[in-house]
mmCIF file of all heavy atoms in Angstrom:
data_model
loop_
_atom_site.group_PDB
_atom_site.id
_atom_site.type_symbol
_atom_site.label_atom_id
_atom_site.label_comp_id
_atom_site.label_asym_id
_atom_site.label_seq_id
_atom_site.Cartn_x
_atom_site.Cartn_y
_atom_site.Cartn_z
ATOM 1 N N GLY A 188 75.803 103.827 94.197
ATOM 2 C CA GLY A 188 76.287 104.758 93.138
ATOM 3 C C GLY A 188 77.724 104.971 93.165
ATOM 4 O O GLY A 188 78.222 105.979 92.577
ATOM 5 N N LEU A 189 78.433 104.125 93.738
ATOM 6 C CA LEU A 189 79.990 104.344 93.918
ATOM 7 C C LEU A 189 80.780 103.299 93.169
ATOM 8 O O LEU A 189 81.882 103.450 92.823
ATOM 9 C CB LEU A 189 80.387 104.287 95.440
ATOM 10 C CG LEU A 189 79.810 105.397 96.276
ATOM 11 C CD1 LEU A 189 80.227 105.249 97.684
ATOM 12 C CD2 LEU A 189 80.443 106.735 95.752
ATOM 13 N N ALA A 190 80.163 102.076 92.775
ATOM 14 C CA ALA A 190 80.784 101.123 92.024
ATOM 15 C C ALA A 190 80.065 101.160 90.586
ATOM 16 O O ALA A 190 78.772 101.303 90.605
ATOM 17 C CB ALA A 190 80.753 99.700 92.579
ATOM 18 N N HIS A 191 80.794 101.054 89.593
ATOM 19 C CA HIS A 191 80.281 101.168 88.243
ATOM 20 C C HIS A 191 80.785 100.039 87.296
ATOM 21 O O HIS A 191 81.834 99.455 87.531
ATOM 22 C CB HIS A 191 80.760 102.595 87.575
ATOM 23 C CG HIS A 191 80.238 103.621 88.461
ATOM 24 N ND1 HIS A 191 79.044 104.196 88.476
ATOM 25 C CD2 HIS A 191 81.007 104.404 89.383
ATOM 26 C CE1 HIS A 191 78.809 105.192 89.266
ATOM 27 N NE2 HIS A 191 80.024 105.271 89.899
ATOM 28 N N SER A 192 79.998 99.815 86.223
ATOM 29 C CA SER A 192 80.365 98.834 85.297
ATOM 30 C C SER A 192 80.309 99.399 83.848
ATOM 31 O O SER A 192 79.601 100.352 83.539
ATOM 32 C CB SER A 192 79.502 97.553 85.356
ATOM 33 O OG SER A 192 78.091 98.016 85.148
ATOM 34 N N VAL A 193 81.100 98.880 82.958
ATOM 35 C CA VAL A 193 81.063 99.088 81.536
ATOM 36 C C VAL A 193 80.854 97.921 80.968
ATOM 37 O O VAL A 193 81.564 96.810 81.196
ATOM 38 C CB VAL A 193 82.443 99.704 81.066
ATOM 39 C CG1 VAL A 193 82.401 100.006 79.580
ATOM 40 C CG2 VAL A 193 82.637 101.134 81.900
ATOM 41 N N GLU A 194 79.947 97.875 80.009
ATOM 42 C CA GLU A 194 79.493 96.580 79.341
ATOM 43 C C GLU A 194 79.738 96.706 77.852
ATOM 44 O O GLU A 194 79.424 97.720 77.236
ATOM 45 C CB GLU A 194 77.934 96.292 79.515
ATOM 46 C CG GLU A 194 77.610 96.159 80.999
ATOM 47 C CD GLU A 194 77.262 97.490 81.654
ATOM 48 O OE1 GLU A 194 76.985 98.493 80.829
ATOM 49 O OE2 GLU A 194 77.122 97.644 82.875
ATOM 50 N N VAL A 195 80.259 95.646 77.318
ATOM 51 C CA VAL A 195 80.488 95.594 75.731
ATOM 52 C C VAL A 195 79.499 94.478 75.267
ATOM 53 O O VAL A 195 79.521 93.331 75.781
ATOM 54 C CB VAL A 195 82.042 95.116 75.526
ATOM 55 C CG1 VAL A 195 82.093 95.183 73.954
ATOM 56 C CG2 VAL A 195 82.884 96.225 76.010
ATOM 57 N N TRP A 196 78.813 94.806 74.265
ATOM 58 C CA TRP A 196 77.741 93.983 73.798
ATOM 59 C C TRP A 196 78.083 93.674 72.237
ATOM 60 O O TRP A 196 78.534 94.542 71.567
ATOM 61 C CB TRP A 196 76.411 94.605 73.800
ATOM 62 C CG TRP A 196 76.001 95.062 75.215
ATOM 63 C CD1 TRP A 196 76.152 96.294 75.756
ATOM 64 C CD2 TRP A 196 75.268 94.307 76.165
ATOM 65 N NE1 TRP A 196 75.786 96.358 77.034
ATOM 66 C CE2 TRP A 196 75.185 95.176 77.282
ATOM 67 C CE3 TRP A 196 74.799 93.022 76.207
ATOM 68 C CZ2 TRP A 196 74.490 94.763 78.557
ATOM 69 C CZ3 TRP A 196 74.120 92.647 77.358
ATOM 70 C CH2 TRP A 196 73.996 93.488 78.498
ATOM 71 N N LYS A 197 77.707 92.513 71.837
ATOM 72 C CA LYS A 197 77.844 92.174 70.467
ATOM 73 C C LYS A 197 76.520 91.324 70.099
ATOM 74 O O LYS A 197 76.383 90.241 70.650
ATOM 75 C CB LYS A 197 79.087 91.334 70.095
ATOM 76 C CG LYS A 197 79.292 91.063 68.600
ATOM 77 C CD LYS A 197 80.591 90.453 68.364
ATOM 78 C CE LYS A 197 80.753 90.205 66.731
ATOM 79 N NZ LYS A 197 81.927 89.725 66.404
ATOM 80 N N GLU A 198 75.740 91.919 69.219
ATOM 81 C CA GLU A 198 74.463 91.204 68.894
ATOM 82 C C GLU A 198 73.642 90.821 70.088
ATOM 83 O O GLU A 198 73.175 89.651 70.239
ATOM 84 C CB GLU A 198 74.689 89.982 67.985
ATOM 85 C CG GLU A 198 75.382 90.388 66.743
ATOM 86 C CD GLU A 198 75.845 89.029 65.926
ATOM 87 O OE1 GLU A 198 75.721 87.938 66.456
ATOM 88 O OE2 GLU A 198 76.347 89.159 64.781
ATOM 89 N N SER A 199 73.586 91.876 70.999
ATOM 90 C CA SER A 199 72.783 91.665 72.255
ATOM 91 C C SER A 199 73.305 90.781 73.252
ATOM 92 O O SER A 199 72.619 90.518 74.272
ATOM 93 C CB SER A 199 71.240 91.305 71.867
ATOM 94 O OG SER A 199 70.655 92.147 71.050
ATOM 95 N N ALA A 200 74.443 90.252 73.080
ATOM 96 C CA ALA A 200 75.201 89.456 74.002
ATOM 97 C C ALA A 200 76.200 90.080 74.819
ATOM 98 O O ALA A 200 76.949 90.901 74.174
ATOM 99 C CB ALA A 200 75.855 88.159 73.464
ATOM 100 N N LEU A 201 76.471 89.917 76.119
ATOM 101 C CA LEU A 201 77.494 90.595 76.843
ATOM 102 C C LEU A 201 78.719 89.835 76.648
ATOM 103 O O LEU A 201 78.919 88.656 77.065
ATOM 104 C CB LEU A 201 77.041 90.577 78.388
ATOM 105 C CG LEU A 201 78.077 91.212 79.337
ATOM 106 C CD1 LEU A 201 78.220 92.692 79.096
ATOM 107 C CD2 LEU A 201 77.574 90.882 80.830
ATOM 108 N N VAL A 202 79.677 90.431 75.958
ATOM 109 C CA VAL A 202 80.882 89.781 75.543
ATOM 110 C C VAL A 202 82.198 90.409 76.179
ATOM 111 O O VAL A 202 83.268 89.872 76.032
ATOM 112 C CB VAL A 202 81.089 89.924 73.982
ATOM 113 C CG1 VAL A 202 79.982 89.140 73.275
ATOM 114 C CG2 VAL A 202 81.195 91.290 73.528
ATOM 115 N N GLY A 203 81.999 91.441 77.030
ATOM 116 C CA GLY A 203 83.159 91.962 77.743
ATOM 117 C C GLY A 203 82.760 93.082 78.613
ATOM 118 O O GLY A 203 81.679 93.535 78.567
ATOM 119 N N GLY A 204 83.710 93.502 79.505
ATOM 120 C CA GLY A 204 83.391 94.594 80.392
ATOM 121 C C GLY A 204 84.347 94.745 81.473
ATOM 122 O O GLY A 204 85.334 93.982 81.611
ATOM 123 N N LEU A 205 84.030 95.633 82.399
ATOM 124 C CA LEU A 205 84.957 95.860 83.570
ATOM 125 C C LEU A 205 84.034 96.583 84.586
ATOM 126 O O LEU A 205 82.996 97.065 84.305
ATOM 127 C CB LEU A 205 86.181 96.776 83.134
ATOM 128 C CG LEU A 205 85.875 98.126 82.699
ATOM 129 C CD1 LEU A 205 85.661 99.257 83.765
ATOM 130 C CD2 LEU A 205 86.992 98.668 81.836
ATOM 131 N N TYR A 206 84.620 96.511 85.819
ATOM 132 C CA TYR A 206 83.983 97.168 87.012
ATOM 133 C C TYR A 206 84.975 97.811 87.806
ATOM 134 O O TYR A 206 86.176 97.509 87.902
ATOM 135 C CB TYR A 206 83.006 96.400 87.742
ATOM 136 C CG TYR A 206 83.658 95.369 88.644
ATOM 137 C CD1 TYR A 206 83.780 95.682 90.025
ATOM 138 C CD2 TYR A 206 84.094 94.169 88.299
ATOM 139 C CE1 TYR A 206 84.394 94.800 90.894
ATOM 140 C CE2 TYR A 206 84.729 93.270 89.086
ATOM 141 C CZ TYR A 206 84.908 93.585 90.450
ATOM 142 O OH TYR A 206 85.458 92.738 91.316
#
Side-chain angles (χ1 to χ4, degrees):
L189 294 172
H191 303 280
S192 60
V193 178
E194 303 88 17
V195 180
W196 307 87
K197 185 172 183 180
E198 298 175 356
S199 301
L201 182 64
V202 297
L205 61 86
Y206 76 96

